[in-house]
Amino acid sequence: MKLDIIPVKWTDEGVAMLDQRLLPGEEKWLMLRTYNDVADGIKDMVVRGAPAIGVSAAYGVALGAKQFVGTTVEDLGEEIEYICEVLAATRPTAVNLFWAIERMKETFLLAKSEGRTVSEIKQILAAEAKSIHDEDIESQRLIAQYGGGLLEDNSSVLTHCNAGALATGGVWGTALGVIRGAVEQGKNIAVIADETRPYLQGARLTAWELHKDDIPVTLITDNMSGHLMKKGRVQAVVVGSDRIAANGDVANKIGTYMVAVLAKRHNIPFYVAAPLSTIDKNCPTGDDIPIEERNTREITHVRDIQLAPDGIGVSNYAFDVTPNELVTAIITEKGVARAPYTESLRKQFDL
Ligand code: MRU
């Protein structure tokens, strides 16, 4: 049964977010009442996952505009510029954040050029954020349809991190959308979820979502996938992405590259599912994608338990880049793109 999980909602009081830091133990909603709260929510991982971050940022801009107390469109424009800077400084890798902010800025400029009043612009921005959210859900539905067709009946699919409803506007998800799509097409799919150290999105979020949807899921530690592939227990890999370069190089959660290399070694298809808002036409290759480095305490501690001695060096890269030659196909809301990606991805924008 598909449960329609929607992790971010626009309300009269502010932006409501399901606090993903507490899952799976607690299902608690937070009400974020200012754009600064929304920015903190993104930074602190109340919400995470590229499309969900984009939707949240759009709502953050709309909320900041709604609370603007000035009277001129000029002043509102300056306020929106500042709000966008605050939101853009939250997380660097997921391009959906910058894409959504840009779309909100363009919407403001268009409304301004049409001579709209401050109060009209506030409503237009709220409606635009809602459209970004609705379009995202619709994109995931199409990704589910196209991607679901690629998975074989009675197969076992490995995924890394959480690219599910929680990571998007909701309902389907990207990688988990492909799985949900295949299940809706009547296929029997079992999922193998990498726990995804250090933040454990796989263990905490993917397992939670799939279990709620009654899709069979087996949790493994990140270092088990090679063994399972060698044993013939994985028929496909499906992951999401935080940013896809114009040449098809894919940034996704740290550890994705390792999985892609293993998949190649074992002749297992490696699929990437992402909406067009994740494709960065201005980024020629994966080398140009900024990779977030996070607090090393995520590695040295699990909650308050210390796992490593003080005084050692620790690296905490949140994402890695999988070169396009390891990617079997990229599934977007426009269909299935295959190599050479520079051409096939460009074509998707024109469809
Ligand atoms: O650090 P996170 O949890 O925001 O990272 C999320 C991922 O890497 C997801 O796989 C990616 O955003 C795709 S989500 C549809």
Side-chain angles (χ1 to χ4, degrees), residues 12 15 28 35 41 50 60 64 73 76 81 114-117 141 147 202 243 245 250 255 261 283 307 320 332 336 344:
D12 289 344
V15 179
K28 185 176 161 194
Y35 72 85
V73 172
L76 175 58
E81 270 302 319
E114 289 170 350
R116 305 293 189 134
T117 64
R141 188 184 70 78
R243 192 185 297 226
V250 171
V261 171
C283 230
L307 304 176
D320 59 27
T332 77
V336 178
S344 62

Side-chain angles (χ1 to χ4, degrees), residues 45 48-51 91 161-163 167-168 174 201 240-242 252-253 319:
M45 310 272 277
R48 31 65 51 203
R91 298 193 68 192
C161 193
N162 170 264
T168 62
T174 55
Q201 288 94 332
S241 173
D242 294 86
N252 192 46
K253 180 54 55 194
F319 302 97

Side-chain angles (χ1 to χ4, degrees), residues 294-301 313-316:
R294 296 182 57 81
N295 194 319
T296 54
R297 198 183 153 91
E298 288 179 359
I299 308 253
T300 56
H301 289 68
V314 183
S315 295
N316 189 9

Side-chain angles (χ1 to χ4, degrees), residues 258-270:
M258 248 164 41
V259 176
V261 171
L262 281 166
K264 185 78 165 181
R265 168 77 175 83
H266 296 282
N267 285 320
I268 295 167
F270 180 90

